[in-house]
Amino acid sequence: QSVLTQPPSVSGAPGQRVTISCTGSSSNIGAGYDVHWYYQLPGTAPKLLIYGTSNRPSGVPDRFSGSKAGTSASLAITGLQAEDEADYYCQSYDTSFGGTTVFGPGTKVTVL
Amino acid sequence: DVQLVESGGGLVQPGGSLRLSCAASGFTISAYWLHWVRQGPGKGLVWVSRINSDGSRTGYADSVKGRFTISRDNAKNTLYLQLNSLRAEDTAVYYCTRASSRIAENDYWGQGTLVTVSS
């Protein structure tokens, strides 16, 4: 069982807005640790999408945005495009058990 | 360009050992924390281990503690993971990644190396 929880899947039509939640606890997101987001296409390595909760690396479109409130974080994709169909993972740091990096279980985004 | 290239994966019997390597280029690893993250077949990402910039501090997931050992050779710009007492559940693609600190994002990832534990 993951320390961070995400919905298994979300879907939307092209052009729509979808959000992916990442729910943690007082030992990770709620403790003030940043949330990072990655996307992964089948058969490829994950790529950084959002870092420090709401920052985009160079080259990531501004259609992607991140936010955090309390013990949860969210990734929003506006103007959904076919190439956004991928798996998305959130990541944070957890102070339990001596301090570990933790990932959410991943969310499959399907573009209808 | 920043590159991380893993090697050393393969088929190994339960109880066996493997040593994974991750050769870095385009940057000097001595300035970075390095991590191993694995992904089982059809599964999500799971953090495995980390090592700080000079190799003095390491951390492991409970599932691999006592069996896996992370190390680095900054002179060779290379990260390692020694996998001992392998189990079927260790079957996964193993990725090496870099981060600027213990809690920072993993900004670059290798392409991964597949470890298959089976008799």
Side-chain angles (χ1 to χ4, degrees):
Chain A
Q1 190 140 359
S2 297
V3 172
L4 304 177
T5 61
Q6 298 178 236
S9 63
V10 299
S11 61
Q16 284 190 330
R17 179 179 187 269
V18 298
T19 61
I20 302 170
S21 61
C22 176
T23 302
S25 67
S26 59
S27 62
N28 44 68
I29 299 174
Y33 291 103
D34 281 332
V35 178
H36 317 298
W37 292 90
Y38 304 85
Y39 80 97
Q40 185 180 35
L41 297 170
T44 68
K47 290 185 178 178
L48 181 64
L49 188 65
I50 296 286
Y51 68 95
T53 300
S54 59
N55 302 291
R56 287 185 306 277
S58 174
V60 172
D62 60 6
R63 303 186 293 104
F64 295 90
S65 63
S67 63
K68 182 176 78 168
T71 58
S72 294
S74 292
L75 173 71
I77 310 174
T78 58
L80 195 64
Q81 298 182 5
E83 58 262 36
D84 299 334
E85 187 160 295
D87 294 319
Y88 292 79
Y89 296 89
C90 62
Q91 177 202 19
S92 189
Y93 183 80
D94 190 281
T95 56
S96 307
F97 310 111
T100 59
T101 296
V102 289
F103 289 94
T107 298
K108 171 70 175 180
V109 170
T110 301
V111 182
L112 302 172
Chain B
D1 285 3
V2 171
Q3 278 200 313
L4 295 163
V5 180
E6 302 93 336
S7 61
L11 175 63
V12 61
Q13 292 189 338
S17 298
L18 276 178
R19 189 194 197 200
L20 307 183
S21 299
C22 173
S25 60
F27 73 103
T28 303
I29 68 168
S30 59
Y32 293 88
W33 288 65
L34 299 171
H35 299 245
W36 288 97
V37 176
R38 70 184 182 185
Q39 186 170 34
K43 301 288 183 61
L45 303 174
V46 176
W47 176 78
V48 173
S49 182
R50 66 168 180 262
I51 187 167
N52 71 335
S53 56
D54 66 7
S56 61
R57 285 185 284 167
T58 59
Y60 299 91
D62 282 348
S63 58
V64 307
K65 203 171 291 185
R67 301 187 298 123
F68 292 8
T69 302
I70 192 171
S71 62
R72 62 194 294 159
D73 186 333
N74 286 349
K76 294 183 177 179
N77 231 31
T78 302
L79 171 71
Y80 303 99
L81 187 68
Q82 178 68 40
L83 290 68
N84 296 332
S85 303
L86 282 162
R87 307 166 180 167
E89 55 265 34
D90 295 319
T91 294
V93 173
Y94 285 73
Y95 296 102
C96 71
T97 82
R98 76 170 198 183
S100 59
S101 75
R102 183 185 51 177
I103 63 172
E105 71 280 5
N106 298 96
D107 60 351
Y108 282 91
W109 298 61
Q111 86 290 347
T113 187
L114 176 62
V115 172
T116 303
V117 184
S118 174
S119 55

